[in-house]
Structures are given as structure tokens and as C-alpha cells.
Amino acid sequence: MKVLLVQPPQFGKPGFNKIALVEPLGLEMVAGALLPDHEVRIHDMRIDDNLDKALAAFRPDAVGISCSFTIDVYRSQKIAETARTAGVPFIFVGGLHASLNPPDFQQPEIDCIVVGEGEFASRELLAAVTKGGDLGDVPGIVLNTDAGQVFTGPRPQADLNELPFPARELLPHGRRHRYFFNFWKPLATLETARGCPHRCNFCSVWTFFEGRCRTKDPERVADELERRKEKFVLITDDNFLLSVNRAKKIAEVIKERGIKKRYSFQARSDTIVKHPEVIAQWREIGLSHVFIGFESLDQEELKAVNKKNDVETNEKALEIVHSHDLTVTGAFIINQDYGPNEFKRLREYIASRRISLPQFTVLTPLPGTDLFREIEKKISVKNYELYDFLHSVLPTRLDPSEFYREFAGLYKSAYSNVNIFRTRIIPVIMGLATRRLSLMHLRRIIRAAREFGEGKNYLSGKAANNPGNAS
């Protein structure tokens, strides 16, 4: 069977995809599971949006669509319609949002939804399609039938060490060099674990993985790393240090094998404070960047999102990471109740704490999360295109124009041209000198930073249906 796996396009001004575009690792994982029995191609519409051409050239028997983000729902639906019009007989959808919200894909063009992890479920699903078997016998599937949607039952979660290696070789020649994280280019991604033991109410990850955590053995992690030629590696785990002992062992194996790369991972501040030695160990083997979800400067706000952490711990973690001369992305959630004083306080905090790559997102109740269920009645915007963490789907205390002006001001003060290069001038120069970076990419990052810093960009185009003021 010929199978085309499709990553939906991303667009919008501003948009996080303009400062970070990572390979479609989920589809690469699914492809790795399908390859022994099927001819598989991956089409990333973020790089090439000409789906009609890809369908005509390959003429697939099945199309699989990745819908992990809420903003991808309408685009995924459109892909299914395009594929069916092109004569594709079997179409399925998977991914985080699709798994938590199957009714969003109850349409005639879509045959079924893969719920949960897609590697082995997709393999069994397409085996049944090929043999003309009963799809109802495949666990972990929601079937679209004339009588409605039918769930085939839960699927046991897999041992991550038994997963096939990602089929990265399926990316069209040259496109592996299109993925980046700011000035890290070309970029590879690596998954070493799934799940998180914590229960932040805004997070859909722990819900998707049914509250369980599983990890790959250090040797398996090193095996995957050795397959990658890229210098820069973004570890995609939502909580890389969920097992500190395992993280230490991974570092030991990497050092023993002589693997030389630069790494970025995400960790909680409380773990960093309890185990500063693991940061030092990883710094020695190439750790350059750490993503930490600080979320808020206010303890009550941390409590409201069930963070189970405190501001003081965040401060201590920042000091530890800075002591190792690491770049930090400190993530902050902007509450709809913010006024000028709260925005000013955050701007001043970022500057005083030297957080080099701050990230600001608007509090967003993603469908399927605890937060969504808690405040669903307050949500005033149903348009999924606005669930991009840059627009409010809840009423704001300030007038929308003022709210977004203040929100944009956070980015403008943090990512002025001077601030962009202040801590990254040497890596940028080296990247240009070695032709790893181009002037075109440099201009792209600068242009994206400017877009984030202009309030009018949040009120134009798809933001036209802004929820307005709180009553």
C-alpha cells in the first residue's frame, strides 16, 4: 500500500513557526512503523504547501494526517477533503488534538481517527485495510460510521525501546536542512520519554499519555543520536529530567561514545534546584539551552494552574542555569486579567533577570484539558484558528487593542535588535562564517521578532473575531 503522511501548514502573523520549525517527528515515527510493509512518503506542508502536486505524483492508497495542535483542525479537515477529491480511498487522522477530540473529525472524508500513540495502531490499521479485515478489531481507533463514531477500545501503551527508529530519510532531499530553532540550524529533534508526572491544568500532554510516564533506555537514546548528522539537537520531552538518574546515565553514555553535539531540553525549576549537578554534567557534554516553564511571577496564579511550584524556586533555578552560562527560555503565561501594572512588572523582571529568550503565551484552555473543562462556559471564541497561544479566547480585562499592545510590548522589549544579538553575536557570526546560517535566515528571524512586537498584528486577519472586553 502507498501511504502519504501529511503535516498541515502553519501560517499567521505573528507565528511561533517563524522562529522555530522542527521536523515532523511524529510522522517520522509512524512512517518507521509502516515502512516494512508499505511504501511511505512524508509531505510537510509547512515547507511545501502544494498538496495537489504531491497527491498527483504519488497517487497514495491512504493518507494519514497529523493534527496535534488545535490550530491545525481546520487545515487537517481541508487536507482530508483535498485527498478525497483526488481519489484517495482511505484517510485517517491522528495526533494529540485528534485523540482528545475525535468529534472534530466526524466528517465523510475521514474514515477514522487514531487515538493515542500512532506507531503500532497505524501499522495494525493499515494491515487490516490491506487485507480487507474488520477495522473494529483494531484497538485504539475511532471509526466514522453511518451510525456515528465508534471507539474500538483502548490500546496498551508500547515499550518505547521497542519502537522503530524514526524514518527521517523520507524527508525530501535537502528539506532536513530547513528545520531550525532560532539560530540553531540545521536542527534535529530527539524524543527520549513520553508523559509527565505533574498535572498542570493547561497541559494536554499528560492527558494524552493517560497520566503515565515511560522512558527510553540510555543506550537506545544514544543509538538514535548517532544516526543524526545535525550539530544541534532539540530534545522534545515535556520533562526531560523526570528521571534524574536516567538523565545522568544518558550523559555518561553520550560521553563514552564521543558524541559531540549541542543540546536543548525542557525541565522543571524544582528539579533543577534539587539536582544542580545534572545541569553541570550535561553542560560538559554540550547542553547549551534550557526551556523552563516559569508561568507566572504570582504565587496565586501558579496555584490556579496547578503548577505545584513556587516563584522562589524559579529564581534559584535561573541562577543555577545562568551559572553554567546557558541560554534560557523562560516561559510565561499571560492571564486575561492582566493590566498595565502586571505587564510592566513582567517586562522589568525579564530585563533584570537576564532571561535571554523569554516566551510569552496567552492563557489558552485547549480542548481536552482540565482547564478547558473548568472554564468552558467562559470561553467566548470557538474559532480554532485563534487557539495559537497568541490570541485570547477568553474575555480580557483590558480593551483588546490595549491588551495586545501590552502583550506585543513584552516581545518588543525582549527582542529588540540589540537584545537579539547581545547574547548570540558569536554563534551568529560563526554560523554565517561556516555557511550554516544564511543572511536570508538571519533576516527571517529579525522580521519574525518584529512581528511579535507589533500589537496591530494580533488584531488583523484571523484575529478579527477577538472576544473583546470582560464584562
Side-chain angles (χ1 to χ4, degrees):
M1 176 178 284
K2 296 167 69 174
V3 184
L4 182 66
L5 302 177
V6 182
Q7 183 72 35
Q10 289 185 0
F11 42 80
K13 181 180 179 180
F16 287 120
N17 63 301
K18 296 183 179 180
I19 57 175
L21 184 66
V22 301
E23 63 188 299
L25 183 59
L27 292 184
E28 293 170 355
M29 297 286 289
V30 171
L34 297 178
L35 272 180
D37 305 308
H38 306 279
E39 182 181 354
V40 185
R41 290 186 185 179
I42 295 175
H43 186 72
D44 189 345
M45 294 184 68
R46 299 170 302 172
I47 293 176
D48 179 2
D49 62 1
N50 195 336
L51 180 61
D52 290 326
K53 182 178 179 180
L55 290 168
F58 189 44
R59 300 179 64 83
D61 303 297
V63 165
I65 306 166
S66 173
C67 186
S68 285
F69 301 107
T70 302
I71 58 171
D72 289 336
V73 171
Y74 304 146
R75 304 163 199 183
S76 298
Q77 294 170 347
K78 179 62 176 178
I79 291 169
E81 294 169 4
T82 301
R84 185 68 86 205
T85 300
V88 178
F90 189 80
I91 300 170
F92 62 104
V93 180
L96 197 151
H97 180 96
S99 295
L100 298 180
N101 305 276
D104 285 337
F105 299 96
Q106 189 175 1
Q107 63 186 91
E109 294 86 2
I110 296 173
D111 295 286
C112 65
I113 300 95
V114 175
V115 175
E117 297 171 334
E119 293 91 352
F120 295 138
S122 297
R123 177 190 288 178
E124 292 181 24
L125 173 66
L126 294 184
V129 172
T130 301
K131 298 175 182 178
D134 185 355
L135 302 187
D137 292 335
V138 180
I141 305 294
V142 170
L143 301 172
N144 284 337
T145 73
D146 293 338
Q149 290 191 317
V150 178
F151 182 48
T152 61
R155 166 178 291 274
Q157 293 182 340
D159 181 341
L160 299 188
N161 294 301
E162 296 179 357
L163 294 176
F165 286 99
R168 295 184 168 99
E169 69 277 8
L170 294 183
L171 293 174
H173 178 68
R175 290 190 182 163
R176 288 173 58 183
H177 297 284
R178 299 286 294 275
Y179 301 109
F180 63 92
F181 170 62
N182 285 305
F183 299 115
W184 280 23
K185 187 176 185 285
L187 178 75
T189 53
L190 174 72
E191 179 193 63
T192 82
R194 292 178 180 177
C196 179
H198 301 278
R199 298 292 182 267
C200 301
N201 66 4
F202 58 83
C203 181
S204 56
V205 171
W206 64 264
T207 306
F208 177 79
F209 290 116
E210 301 173 3
R212 293 185 58 199
C213 297
R214 288 160 298 144
T215 60
K216 294 178 181 177
D217 293 338
E219 290 75 16
R220 164 66 189 250
V221 173
D223 289 344
E224 291 197 37
L225 270 176
E226 287 182 327
R227 290 169 170 249
R228 301 313 307 262
K229 297 179 181 179
E230 294 86 349
K231 176 182 179 180
F232 300 102
V233 177
L234 175 66
I235 297 175
T236 62
D237 306 358
D238 289 275
N239 186 358
F240 178 66
L241 299 182
L242 63 88
S243 170
V244 172
N245 289 334
R246 185 190 73 110
K248 291 179 178 180
K249 181 60 178 176
I250 292 174
E252 291 173 6
V253 175
I254 289 173
K255 186 175 181 179
E256 290 170 359
R257 296 196 188 184
I259 301 173
K260 305 292 185 181
K261 297 186 183 296
R262 292 179 64 183
Y263 303 96
S264 169
F265 64 60
Q266 180 174 337
R268 281 178 60 99
S269 63
D270 48 5
T271 307
I272 292 173
V273 171
K274 290 177 183 177
H275 300 280
E277 74 282 358
V278 74
I279 300 298
Q281 184 182 13
W282 268 84
R283 182 70 176 97
E284 182 182 352
I285 65 164
L287 179 66
S288 300
H289 171 265
V290 179
F291 182 103
I292 306 174
F294 293 138
E295 322 307 2
S296 176
L297 305 181
D298 185 89
Q299 193 59 44
E300 287 302 311
E301 288 183 9
L302 291 178
K303 183 178 179 181
V305 297
N306 199 35
K307 185 68 179 182
K308 300 292 178 66
N309 206 347
D310 58 72
V311 176
E312 182 181 358
T313 299
N314 289 342
E315 294 264 357
K316 292 179 180 178
L318 187 59
E319 292 176 4
I320 292 170
V321 174
H322 275 159
S323 72
H324 293 287
D325 196 28
L326 297 172
T327 302
V328 181
T329 290
F332 295 89
I333 297 175
I334 307 305
N335 194 289
Q336 281 78 7
D337 290 333
Y338 274 24
N341 290 336
E342 288 81 8
F343 280 108
K344 179 182 179 182
R345 180 188 177 201
L346 185 51
R347 285 195 302 272
E348 293 175 345
Y349 181 87
I350 297 298
S352 65
R353 300 310 192 276
R354 298 183 298 110
I355 299 177
S356 50
L357 287 174
Q359 180 191 82
F360 310 105
T361 57
V362 180
L363 180 66
T364 303
L366 295 176
T369 62
D370 282 356
L371 180 62
F372 182 89
R373 288 184 283 271
E374 291 169 10
I375 64 174
E376 183 175 5
K377 293 182 179 179
K378 297 180 181 179
I379 297 174
S380 51
V381 170
K382 307 299 182 181
N383 179 4
Y384 281 159
E385 290 289 334
L386 293 175
Y387 284 68
D388 60 356
F389 301 102
L390 295 173
H391 296 90
S392 181
V393 300
L394 294 164
T396 55
R397 168 185 164 191
L398 296 174
D399 179 83
S401 61
E402 186 177 358
F403 178 84
Y404 289 119
R405 181 178 60 80
E406 291 280 6
F407 182 71
L410 293 171
Y411 277 107
K412 187 174 184 178
S413 63
Y415 291 98
S416 64
N417 285 355
V418 174
N419 288 337
I420 288 175
F421 293 109
R422 183 179 57 193
T423 60
R424 292 174 282 282
I425 185 64
I426 293 178
V428 168
I429 292 175
M430 292 181 62
L432 292 172
T434 59
R435 296 186 179 181
R436 176 178 52 77
L437 290 178
S438 65
L439 287 174
M440 182 182 297
H441 182 75
L442 196 60
R443 287 194 293 267
R444 173 178 180 169
I445 296 297
I446 293 173
R447 184 168 56 250
R450 288 175 176 171
E451 288 179 2
F452 275 93
E454 296 180 4
K456 64 181 181 180
N457 291 333
Y458 301 88
L459 290 168
S460 61
K462 69 178 183 179
N465 295 322
N466 189 275
N469 295 359
S471 57

